[in-house]
């Protein structure tokens, strides 16, 4: 008997992939057979067409259409697919799913997501506050509403280079005010304000993906150092590591926030060996397949937690396991493309073009 | 230097001289001499004793070996942060 799991984040684009396809792949490799339903937002979200990992694909209304439209679509799809678990994995949709979680549970769809309060605690503009609570350093961060800030910031003890970041996505290292202003307008145009200014710290970035059990514990974790980046700064290759300080910080984060669900800690080890919290993402990262690769399948763990199953303590994961991404073309029939474009789902009909 | 010597204990070393640091995720290669130094360093906390052990294995003066070991460990620091 397989478990039907709906997964969002089907935008598996080569330079900046969403995590959905990697989550689906993990679920397909779990000990329990799982049927994966991919939920995308655009007809060209590549993972919708990956038949090996995604059994059926559907489109959701854009987040701008509101939560009522999102809920209505999920109700419609649930009637047909009978979702047992739903794993949202895009930053921009997490608040909506956090608010909808009780309603979804009432329908029999289990999520294992942080609540709105927990999401707010790790918001990028509140990072220094949280970092202090979990006992790590963090770069100075300020919410910026006006681009003028970048011309006057040197008088407020800021120095270039500095990071300009979107509240949900995107980050640019700016070496002077002109670059920072350009980044501000680009990011504000795409993601709105505030845009964040963050002081830049030189060093090596290290990451941890994990699952908080909702009771203050870290149910499982995998650590990774990126070894190659795309033009957008996303990991293209990485290697598993074991850093006790990073792991301890993740345990403290879960203890302080009682985090429920997937998470990614982005930390920076400076040239003196100090650890700085750069970002906490409230969902699995796109490199989550490495967790299955090192024998600690975190999406599977999350499904088990969502279903209320007892967990066996996870063994420490081995360091030195490398992942390297590659781009692959999916061949899509005109009928499939028609189905997604017109009906918002794969395999609705055999298609008029068959 | 003492910390770097301690950090060598965590390194994964292969016969080919390929080295992986499980904490930083860095990998690099060393030559045969570097591999001998790292293998000894993994079982040694004291740099003077490490130099003495190298003196037994290499036909070089203690001044040369001390200078080379210090240089090697200094370069190693860059990989083991």
């Amino acid at each position: 008997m397989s478990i039907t799991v709906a997964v969002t984040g089907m935008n598996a684009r080569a330079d900046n992939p969403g995590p959905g396809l990697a989550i689906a792949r993990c679920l397909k490799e779990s000990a329990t057979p799982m049927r994966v339903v991919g939920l995308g937002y655009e007809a060209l979200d590549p993972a919708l067409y990956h038949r090996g990992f995604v059994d059926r694909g559907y489109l959701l209304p854009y987040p701008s259409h509101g939560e009522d439209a999102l809920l209505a679509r999920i109700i419609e799809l649930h009637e047909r697919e009978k979702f047992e678990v739903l794993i949202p994995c895009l930053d921009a949709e997490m608040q909506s799913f956090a608010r909808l979680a009780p309603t979804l549970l009432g329908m029999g769809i289990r999520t294992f997501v942080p609540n709105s309060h927990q999401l707010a605690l790790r918001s990028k503009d509140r990072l220094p506050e949280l970092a202090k609570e979990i006992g790590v350093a963090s770069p100075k961060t300020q919410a910026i509403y006006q681009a003028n800030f970048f011309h006057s910031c040197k008088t407020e003890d800021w120095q270039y280079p500095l990071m300009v970041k979107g509240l949900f996505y995107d980050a640019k290292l700016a070496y002077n005010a002109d670059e920072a202003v350009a980044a501000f307008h680009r990011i504000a145009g795409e993601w709105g304000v505030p845009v964040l200014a963050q002081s830049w710290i030189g060093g090596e970035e290290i990451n941890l993906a994990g699952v908080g059990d909702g009771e203050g514990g870290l149910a499982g974790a995998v650590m990774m150092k990126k070894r190659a980046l795309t033009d957008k700064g996303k990991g293209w290759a990485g290697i598993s590591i074991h850093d006790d300080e990073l792991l301890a910080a993740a345990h403290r984060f879960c203890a302080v926030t009682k985090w429920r669900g997937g998470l990614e800690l982005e930390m920076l080890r400076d040239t003196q060996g100090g650890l700085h919290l750069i970002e906490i993402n409230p969902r699995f990262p796109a490199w989550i397949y490495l967790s299955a690769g090192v024998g600690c399948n975190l999406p599977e763990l999350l499904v088990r937690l969502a279903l209320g199953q007892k967990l066996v303590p996870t063994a420490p994961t081995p360091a030195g396991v490398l992942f390297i991404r590659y781009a692959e073309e999916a061949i899509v029939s005109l009928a499939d493309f028609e189905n997604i474009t017109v009906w918002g789902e794969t395999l609705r009909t055999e298609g008029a073009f068959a | 230097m003492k910390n770097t010597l301690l950090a060598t204990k965590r390194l994964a070393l292969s016969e080919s001289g390929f080295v992986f640091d499980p904490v930083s995720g860095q990998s690099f290669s060393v030559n045969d001499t570097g591999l001998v130094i790292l293998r000894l360093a993994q079982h040694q906390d004291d740099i003077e004793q490490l130099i003495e052990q190298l003196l037994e294995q290499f036909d070089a003066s203690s001044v040369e070996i001390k200078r080379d070991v210090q240089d090697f460990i200094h370069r190693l620091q860059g990989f083991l942060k």
Side-chain angles (χ1 to χ4, degrees):
Chain A
M1 189 72 178
S2 68
I3 299 167
T4 299
V5 183
V7 180
T8 70
M10 296 286 107
N11 52 328
R13 293 179 180 172
D15 58 348
N16 185 12
L21 182 61
I23 292 172
R25 191 177 180 196
C26 286
L27 297 179
K28 284 294 181 185
E29 292 188 11
S30 65
T32 311
M34 298 207 196
R35 184 167 178 277
V36 177
V37 177
L39 304 177
Y41 289 95
E42 292 191 18
L44 289 179
D45 279 354
L48 291 171
Y49 302 97
H50 199 299
R51 294 285 162 76
F53 304 139
V54 177
D55 297 282
R56 289 291 293 268
Y58 294 95
L59 292 188
L60 296 176
Y62 285 115
S64 58
H65 291 194
E67 277 165 32
D68 289 346
L70 176 64
L71 182 61
R73 178 64 168 156
I74 290 173
I75 289 171
E76 179 197 344
L77 298 179
H78 181 51
E79 279 171 10
R80 292 156 62 176
E81 297 289 347
K82 304 282 180 263
F83 303 140
E84 282 152 275
V85 179
L86 190 153
I87 306 178
C89 55
L90 298 177
D91 292 352
E93 65 189 12
M94 292 307 293
Q95 278 288 3
S96 294
F97 279 104
R99 284 190 288 264
L100 291 175
T103 311
L104 296 176
L105 183 61
M107 293 158 49
I109 305 174
R110 294 169 175 87
T111 56
F112 203 74
V113 293
N115 60 33
S116 296
H117 172 67
Q118 290 167 326
L119 284 170
L121 283 177
R122 45 60 52 197
S123 159
K124 290 182 192 178
D125 53 342
R126 292 177 63 180
L127 206 62
E129 214 177 304
L130 179 63
K132 203 172 171 187
E133 242 185 297
I134 63 174
V136 291
S138 72
K140 183 166 69 168
T141 304
Q142 189 173 326
I144 307 300
Y145 294 85
Q146 304 262 333
N148 288 346
F149 165 85
F150 295 105
H151 289 294
S152 60
C153 63
K154 279 190 173 176
T155 60
E156 294 171 40
D157 209 22
W158 286 83
Q159 285 181 330
Y160 286 100
L162 55 78
M163 296 298 296
V164 184
K165 291 184 158 186
L167 203 52
F168 290 126
Y169 296 107
D170 220 341
K172 165 83 181 163
L173 182 63
Y175 287 90
N176 53 50
D178 290 342
E179 285 184 14
V181 168
F184 174 90
H185 287 303
R186 184 177 55 75
I187 293 170
E190 199 163 351
W191 302 107
V193 289
V195 166
L196 304 175
Q198 194 172 72
S199 61
W200 179 78
I201 298 165
E204 297 285 340
E205 187 184 323
I206 50 177
N207 306 96
L208 177 145
V211 183
D213 66 9
E215 294 172 359
L218 179 68
V222 174
M223 290 167 270
M224 184 275 292
K225 165 85 177 79
K226 290 175 188 169
R227 294 296 302 262
L229 302 177
T230 68
D231 288 349
K232 290 195 172 177
K234 304 298 170 185
W236 190 254
I239 195 159
S240 64
I241 59 171
H242 186 88
D243 186 311
D244 285 329
E245 270 188 84
L246 175 59
L247 188 60
H251 276 288
R252 286 196 299 274
F253 168 71
C254 287
V256 165
T257 61
K258 296 206 168 11
W259 192 259
R260 179 180 163 89
L263 66 102
E264 182 192 24
L265 250 61
E266 295 184 3
M267 308 274 268
L268 198 121
R269 195 169 279 291
D270 67 28
T271 49
Q272 307 304 311
L275 207 55
H276 303 259
L277 180 63
I278 302 298
E279 208 162 298
I280 298 176
N281 293 314
R283 39 80 190 163
F284 288 133
W287 56 270
I288 196 66
Y289 182 68
L290 181 65
S291 75
V294 297
C296 180
N297 189 330
L298 294 176
E300 180 185 11
L301 206 64
L302 184 140
V303 169
R304 290 169 63 91
L305 281 165
L307 293 172
Q309 295 176 1
K310 248 198 150 72
L311 297 184
V312 180
T314 54
T317 55
V321 177
L322 192 76
F323 78 83
I324 307 172
R325 248 176 227 152
Y326 62 91
E328 182 186 79
E329 292 77 17
I331 300 301
V332 178
S333 71
L334 192 56
D336 267 1
F337 189 46
E338 175 202 358
N339 281 329
I340 275 286
T341 306
V342 177
W343 306 107
E345 61 184 83
T346 54
L347 297 174
R348 182 184 171 101
T349 68
E350 288 306 312
F353 306 97
Chain B
M1 197 165 281
K2 177 97 177 167
N3 285 343
T4 307
L5 204 59
L6 282 173
T8 60
K9 291 173 177 43
R10 70 189 188 213
L11 298 177
L13 309 178
S14 81
E15 292 291 327
S16 67
F18 183 79
V19 182
F20 174 66
D21 177 6
V23 174
S24 72
Q26 296 281 8
S27 57
F28 50 94
S29 293
V30 294
N31 62 15
D32 290 345
T33 313
L35 194 56
V36 170
I37 298 173
L38 285 179
R39 284 205 167 121
L40 289 173
Q42 287 193 318
H43 299 95
Q44 188 56 262
D45 293 335
D46 185 80
I47 195 154
E48 296 303 329
Q49 287 187 19
L50 172 68
I51 289 164
E52 274 183 33
Q53 286 175 316
L54 288 167
L55 266 170
E56 291 167 13
Q57 292 194 34
F58 292 94
D59 183 21
S61 70
S62 67
V63 174
E64 281 175 305
I65 286 183
K66 192 169 185 174
R67 186 194 60 208
D68 288 353
V69 166
Q70 283 175 340
D71 181 47
F72 180 75
I73 290 176
H74 181 71
R75 291 178 68 179
L76 204 56
Q77 276 176 346
F79 292 97
L80 302 184
K81 278 166 187 153

PDB file of all heavy atoms in Angstrom, chain A residues 178-197:
ATOM      1  N   ASP A 178      26.239  52.310  -5.995  1.00  0.00           N
ATOM      2  CA  ASP A 178      25.528  52.159  -7.272  1.00  0.00           C
ATOM      3  C   ASP A 178      25.058  50.723  -7.466  1.00  0.00           C
ATOM      4  O   ASP A 178      23.918  50.476  -7.872  1.00  0.00           O
ATOM      5  CB  ASP A 178      26.435  52.571  -8.445  1.00  0.00           C
ATOM      6  CG  ASP A 178      26.671  54.076  -8.460  1.00  0.00           C
ATOM      7  OD1 ASP A 178      25.876  54.789  -7.811  1.00  0.00           O
ATOM      8  OD2 ASP A 178      27.646  54.518  -9.084  1.00  0.00           O
ATOM      9  N   GLU A 179      25.947  49.768  -7.177  1.00  0.00           N
ATOM     10  CA  GLU A 179      25.561  48.352  -7.314  1.00  0.00           C
ATOM     11  C   GLU A 179      24.450  47.997  -6.335  1.00  0.00           C
ATOM     12  O   GLU A 179      23.532  47.247  -6.654  1.00  0.00           O
ATOM     13  CB  GLU A 179      26.775  47.450  -7.063  1.00  0.00           C
ATOM     14  CG  GLU A 179      27.760  47.432  -8.215  1.00  0.00           C
ATOM     15  CD  GLU A 179      28.906  46.448  -7.974  1.00  0.00           C
ATOM     16  OE1 GLU A 179      28.817  45.595  -7.055  1.00  0.00           O
ATOM     17  OE2 GLU A 179      29.887  46.550  -8.708  1.00  0.00           O
ATOM     18  N   ALA A 180      24.547  48.542  -5.123  1.00  0.00           N
ATOM     19  CA  ALA A 180      23.539  48.233  -4.100  1.00  0.00           C
ATOM     20  C   ALA A 180      22.172  48.792  -4.493  1.00  0.00           C
ATOM     21  O   ALA A 180      21.148  48.123  -4.335  1.00  0.00           O
ATOM     22  CB  ALA A 180      23.980  48.799  -2.746  1.00  0.00           C
ATOM     23  N   VAL A 181      22.164  50.018  -5.029  1.00  0.00           N
ATOM     24  CA  VAL A 181      20.897  50.641  -5.447  1.00  0.00           C
ATOM     25  C   VAL A 181      20.272  49.834  -6.582  1.00  0.00           C
ATOM     26  O   VAL A 181      19.070  49.561  -6.595  1.00  0.00           O
ATOM     27  CB  VAL A 181      21.128  52.115  -5.862  1.00  0.00           C
ATOM     28  CG1 VAL A 181      19.908  52.680  -6.574  1.00  0.00           C
ATOM     29  CG2 VAL A 181      21.470  52.953  -4.629  1.00  0.00           C
ATOM     30  N   ALA A 182      21.120  49.417  -7.545  1.00  0.00           N
ATOM     31  CA  ALA A 182      20.610  48.609  -8.673  1.00  0.00           C
ATOM     32  C   ALA A 182      20.015  47.300  -8.146  1.00  0.00           C
ATOM     33  O   ALA A 182      18.928  46.881  -8.560  1.00  0.00           O
ATOM     34  CB  ALA A 182      21.731  48.341  -9.671  1.00  0.00           C
ATOM     35  N   ALA A 183      20.718  46.659  -7.198  1.00  0.00           N
ATOM     36  CA  ALA A 183      20.219  45.398  -6.622  1.00  0.00           C
ATOM     37  C   ALA A 183      18.923  45.642  -5.856  1.00  0.00           C
ATOM     38  O   ALA A 183      17.985  44.839  -5.937  1.00  0.00           O
ATOM     39  CB  ALA A 183      21.283  44.796  -5.700  1.00  0.00           C
ATOM     40  N   PHE A 184      18.874  46.764  -5.125  1.00  0.00           N
ATOM     41  CA  PHE A 184      17.654  47.101  -4.366  1.00  0.00           C
ATOM     42  C   PHE A 184      16.447  47.173  -5.298  1.00  0.00           C
ATOM     43  O   PHE A 184      15.405  46.565  -5.049  1.00  0.00           O
ATOM     44  CB  PHE A 184      17.844  48.448  -3.643  1.00  0.00           C
ATOM     45  CG  PHE A 184      16.594  48.950  -2.963  1.00  0.00           C
ATOM     46  CD1 PHE A 184      16.315  48.602  -1.652  1.00  0.00           C
ATOM     47  CD2 PHE A 184      15.685  49.763  -3.640  1.00  0.00           C
ATOM     48  CE1 PHE A 184      15.148  49.058  -1.025  1.00  0.00           C
ATOM     49  CE2 PHE A 184      14.524  50.207  -3.026  1.00  0.00           C
ATOM     50  CZ  PHE A 184      14.262  49.859  -1.709  1.00  0.00           C
ATOM     51  N   HIS A 185      16.599  47.926  -6.408  1.00  0.00           N
ATOM     52  CA  HIS A 185      15.459  48.109  -7.316  1.00  0.00           C
ATOM     53  C   HIS A 185      15.060  46.794  -7.983  1.00  0.00           C
ATOM     54  O   HIS A 185      13.877  46.505  -8.141  1.00  0.00           O
ATOM     55  CB  HIS A 185      15.794  49.174  -8.368  1.00  0.00           C
ATOM     56  CG  HIS A 185      15.809  50.560  -7.791  1.00  0.00           C
ATOM     57  ND1 HIS A 185      14.726  51.099  -7.135  1.00  0.00           N
ATOM     58  CD2 HIS A 185      16.777  51.515  -7.748  1.00  0.00           C
ATOM     59  CE1 HIS A 185      15.013  52.326  -6.713  1.00  0.00           C
ATOM     60  NE2 HIS A 185      16.264  52.598  -7.062  1.00  0.00           N
ATOM     61  N   ARG A 186      16.060  45.993  -8.349  1.00  0.00           N
ATOM     62  CA  ARG A 186      15.755  44.708  -9.007  1.00  0.00           C
ATOM     63  C   ARG A 186      15.005  43.784  -8.038  1.00  0.00           C
ATOM     64  O   ARG A 186      13.966  43.214  -8.377  1.00  0.00           O
ATOM     65  CB  ARG A 186      17.048  44.035  -9.483  1.00  0.00           C
ATOM     66  CG  ARG A 186      16.795  42.745 -10.264  1.00  0.00           C
ATOM     67  CD  ARG A 186      18.081  42.143 -10.797  1.00  0.00           C
ATOM     68  NE  ARG A 186      19.088  41.910  -9.774  1.00  0.00           N
ATOM     69  CZ  ARG A 186      19.043  40.924  -8.882  1.00  0.00           C
ATOM     70  NH1 ARG A 186      18.043  40.070  -8.896  1.00  0.00           N
ATOM     71  NH2 ARG A 186      20.005  40.780  -7.979  1.00  0.00           N
ATOM     72  N   ILE A 187      15.520  43.683  -6.818  1.00  0.00           N
ATOM     73  CA  ILE A 187      14.909  42.768  -5.838  1.00  0.00           C
ATOM     74  C   ILE A 187      13.554  43.300  -5.384  1.00  0.00           C
ATOM     75  O   ILE A 187      12.576  42.551  -5.285  1.00  0.00           O
ATOM     76  CB  ILE A 187      15.867  42.552  -4.640  1.00  0.00           C
ATOM     77  CG1 ILE A 187      17.107  41.777  -5.109  1.00  0.00           C
ATOM     78  CG2 ILE A 187      15.177  41.798  -3.511  1.00  0.00           C
ATOM     79  CD1 ILE A 187      18.237  41.695  -4.090  1.00  0.00           C
ATOM     80  N   ALA A 188      13.467  44.616  -5.144  1.00  0.00           N
ATOM     81  CA  ALA A 188      12.185  45.201  -4.711  1.00  0.00           C
ATOM     82  C   ALA A 188      11.139  45.023  -5.808  1.00  0.00           C
ATOM     83  O   ALA A 188       9.963  44.766  -5.522  1.00  0.00           O
ATOM     84  CB  ALA A 188      12.364  46.679  -4.373  1.00  0.00           C
ATOM     85  N   GLY A 189      11.579  45.152  -7.070  1.00  0.00           N
ATOM     86  CA  GLY A 189      10.659  44.992  -8.198  1.00  0.00           C
ATOM     87  C   GLY A 189      10.092  43.591  -8.254  1.00  0.00           C
ATOM     88  O   GLY A 189       8.934  43.378  -8.619  1.00  0.00           O
ATOM     89  N   GLU A 190      10.916  42.616  -7.902  1.00  0.00           N
ATOM     90  CA  GLU A 190      10.483  41.224  -8.015  1.00  0.00           C
ATOM     91  C   GLU A 190       9.778  40.721  -6.752  1.00  0.00           C
ATOM     92  O   GLU A 190       8.785  40.008  -6.819  1.00  0.00           O
ATOM     93  CB  GLU A 190      11.698  40.344  -8.318  1.00  0.00           C
ATOM     94  CG  GLU A 190      11.291  39.016  -8.896  1.00  0.00           C
ATOM     95  CD  GLU A 190      12.454  38.297  -9.573  1.00  0.00           C
ATOM     96  OE1 GLU A 190      13.543  38.909  -9.732  1.00  0.00           O
ATOM     97  OE2 GLU A 190      12.283  37.133  -9.908  1.00  0.00           O
ATOM     98  N   TRP A 191      10.316  41.086  -5.596  1.00  0.00           N
ATOM     99  CA  TRP A 191       9.821  40.506  -4.341  1.00  0.00           C
ATOM    100  C   TRP A 191       9.217  41.525  -3.390  1.00  0.00           C
ATOM    101  O   TRP A 191       8.736  41.163  -2.320  1.00  0.00           O
ATOM    102  CB  TRP A 191      10.957  39.756  -3.619  1.00  0.00           C
ATOM    103  CG  TRP A 191      11.536  38.684  -4.474  1.00  0.00           C
ATOM    104  CD1 TRP A 191      12.745  38.679  -5.102  1.00  0.00           C
ATOM    105  CD2 TRP A 191      10.909  37.448  -4.837  1.00  0.00           C
ATOM    106  NE1 TRP A 191      12.914  37.534  -5.824  1.00  0.00           N
ATOM    107  CE2 TRP A 191      11.802  36.748  -5.683  1.00  0.00           C
ATOM    108  CE3 TRP A 191       9.687  36.858  -4.533  1.00  0.00           C
ATOM    109  CZ2 TRP A 191      11.499  35.505  -6.220  1.00  0.00           C
ATOM    110  CZ3 TRP A 191       9.389  35.613  -5.072  1.00  0.00           C
ATOM    111  CH2 TRP A 191      10.291  34.954  -5.905  1.00  0.00           C
ATOM    112  N   GLY A 192       9.260  42.807  -3.740  1.00  0.00           N
ATOM    113  CA  GLY A 192       8.692  43.837  -2.871  1.00  0.00           C
ATOM    114  C   GLY A 192       9.664  44.280  -1.790  1.00  0.00           C
ATOM    115  O   GLY A 192      10.780  43.755  -1.672  1.00  0.00           O
ATOM    116  N   VAL A 193       9.208  45.262  -0.987  1.00  0.00           N
ATOM    117  CA  VAL A 193      10.021  45.753   0.129  1.00  0.00           C
ATOM    118  C   VAL A 193       9.481  45.164   1.430  1.00  0.00           C
ATOM    119  O   VAL A 193       8.319  44.754   1.467  1.00  0.00           O
ATOM    120  CB  VAL A 193      10.021  47.292   0.195  1.00  0.00           C
ATOM    121  CG1 VAL A 193      10.812  47.884  -0.940  1.00  0.00           C
ATOM    122  CG2 VAL A 193       8.611  47.848   0.219  1.00  0.00           C
ATOM    123  N   PRO A 194      10.239  45.092   2.507  1.00  0.00           N
ATOM    124  CA  PRO A 194      11.606  45.613   2.568  1.00  0.00           C
ATOM    125  C   PRO A 194      12.605  44.711   1.855  1.00  0.00           C
ATOM    126  O   PRO A 194      12.378  43.521   1.697  1.00  0.00           O
ATOM    127  CB  PRO A 194      11.896  45.629   4.071  1.00  0.00           C
ATOM    128  CG  PRO A 194      11.076  44.507   4.615  1.00  0.00           C
ATOM    129  CD  PRO A 194       9.823  44.496   3.793  1.00  0.00           C
ATOM    130  N   VAL A 195      13.672  45.368   1.455  1.00  0.00           N
ATOM    131  CA  VAL A 195      14.852  44.646   1.002  1.00  0.00           C
ATOM    132  C   VAL A 195      15.819  44.710   2.182  1.00  0.00           C
ATOM    133  O   VAL A 195      15.764  45.660   2.973  1.00  0.00           O
ATOM    134  CB  VAL A 195      15.427  45.316  -0.263  1.00  0.00           C
ATOM    135  CG1 VAL A 195      16.814  44.838  -0.591  1.00  0.00           C
ATOM    136  CG2 VAL A 195      14.486  45.076  -1.444  1.00  0.00           C
ATOM    137  N   LEU A 196      16.663  43.727   2.321  1.00  0.00           N
ATOM    138  CA  LEU A 196      17.539  43.698   3.490  1.00  0.00           C
ATOM    139  C   LEU A 196      18.975  44.046   3.125  1.00  0.00           C
ATOM    140  O   LEU A 196      19.482  43.591   2.101  1.00  0.00           O
ATOM    141  CB  LEU A 196      17.514  42.315   4.139  1.00  0.00           C
ATOM    142  CG  LEU A 196      16.137  41.799   4.534  1.00  0.00           C
ATOM    143  CD1 LEU A 196      16.225  40.373   5.041  1.00  0.00           C
ATOM    144  CD2 LEU A 196      15.513  42.684   5.612  1.00  0.00           C
ATOM    145  N   ALA A 197      19.582  44.856   3.975  1.00  0.00           N
ATOM    146  CA  ALA A 197      21.030  45.083   3.873  1.00  0.00           C
ATOM    147  C   ALA A 197      21.687  44.221   4.947  1.00  0.00           C
ATOM    148  O   ALA A 197      21.206  44.166   6.082  1.00  0.00           O
ATOM    149  CB  ALA A 197      21.355  46.551   4.107  1.00  0.00           C
TER     150      ALA A 197
END
